[in-house]
Amino acid sequence: MAIEHYVKKIRTQEGVVWQTSSRRDMWTKLLDRLQTDAPHFSSFLEQYAEGDDVILRRRQVRALYQADPEMGMVAAIIWTHARGIRVNALSLLVRDLPALVQLFDRDNFDDKSLNHLLGQPGISIPTASKMLSACGKQFNNVPAAIIDDAISAAIESSEFAKDFSRITPLRGKARSRPLDYYKAYLGDLDELATKHDITHDTLDHFFAEFANYEETIPSRKSA
């Protein structure tokens, strides 16, 4: 079985948002433990936290980034780390926020700029892919898509082996050869998106939720 089996269902999910939720008090406590001020983060929580929760949608992060790069970058960081982040890692992101905003001042990343991003403390390929996607960037002229452990497990499964031919020689190497793996993934995903006329956003969301895809469809939220 391959992705053709799911195409009709996937198309019905075009436009469905990828939403994350985290506790506002978690972020507040993290910021309190920093040894430096984080005005953009504090301001973001004041403006965009919904009661006790910080609920973010990928398209909302993109809109914020377009309107205000600093605030949008904070949104991307919080969206990327919805389950939490170590204090020292957050401290480095707070410190390097201006550098990140400057680095993201391009629509299309190449090997050099992506390696520069990966050179920032605490930013791995999964983190970078989420930040790039959240801000609506491209990598080598392909829309940046998210890669994480759940997606790697899905695309390496027997279900989609024929759909991800570039990944085949890199099976099990998502962590040992992360950049090569990400490039291969984007190449395969781009072909699938073009072949089936499905957006990259919809495809990466589908693979992220594939393990419980059948169960989650009725409960997904609309934009």
Side-chain angles (χ1 to χ4, degrees), residues 200-220:
H200 297 71
D201 282 358
T202 301
L203 283 174
D204 69 3
H205 195 174
F206 164 73
F207 288 116
E209 295 190 349
F210 176 69
N212 57 345
Y213 186 66
E214 297 292 340
E215 291 78 10
T216 58
I217 288 177
S219 62
R220 288 181 185 174

Side-chain angles (χ1 to χ4, degrees), residues 31-149:
L31 294 175
D32 288 344
R33 293 172 62 188
L34 297 180
Q35 296 181 351
T36 183
D37 291 333
H40 286 98
F41 283 80
S42 298
S43 179
F44 179 86
L45 293 178
E46 287 296 324
Q47 294 183 51
Y48 296 104
E50 300 179 18
D52 294 331
D53 298 310
V54 183
I55 299 172
L56 288 172
R57 303 160 183 84
R58 177 159 53 179
R59 65 183 60 175
Q60 176 189 9
V61 176
R62 290 179 185 175
L64 286 172
Y65 175 79
Q66 290 295 322
D68 184 334
E70 285 82 7
M71 197 67 76
M73 185 60 61
V74 171
I77 291 169
I78 292 177
W79 188 79
T80 299
H81 297 89
R83 296 181 180 179
I85 185 173
R86 295 188 301 274
V87 174
N88 61 336
L90 178 58
S91 178
L92 293 172
L93 289 171
V94 169
R95 183 198 68 185
D96 295 336
L97 186 64
L100 288 172
V101 171
Q102 183 176 7
L103 178 59
F104 271 68
D105 189 21
R106 69 195 74 209
D107 294 327
N108 188 39
F109 277 62
D110 56 17
D111 283 23
K112 182 179 179 180
S113 51
L114 180 57
N115 277 314
H116 190 178
L117 176 59
L118 294 172
Q120 302 298 309
I123 296 183
S124 61
I125 280 288
T127 299
S129 72
K130 291 176 182 178
M131 293 175 68
L132 290 170
S133 176
C135 293
K137 301 301 181 180
Q138 295 189 336
F139 176 63
N140 288 340
N141 299 309
V142 174
I146 291 170
I147 190 72
D148 59 17
D149 289 344

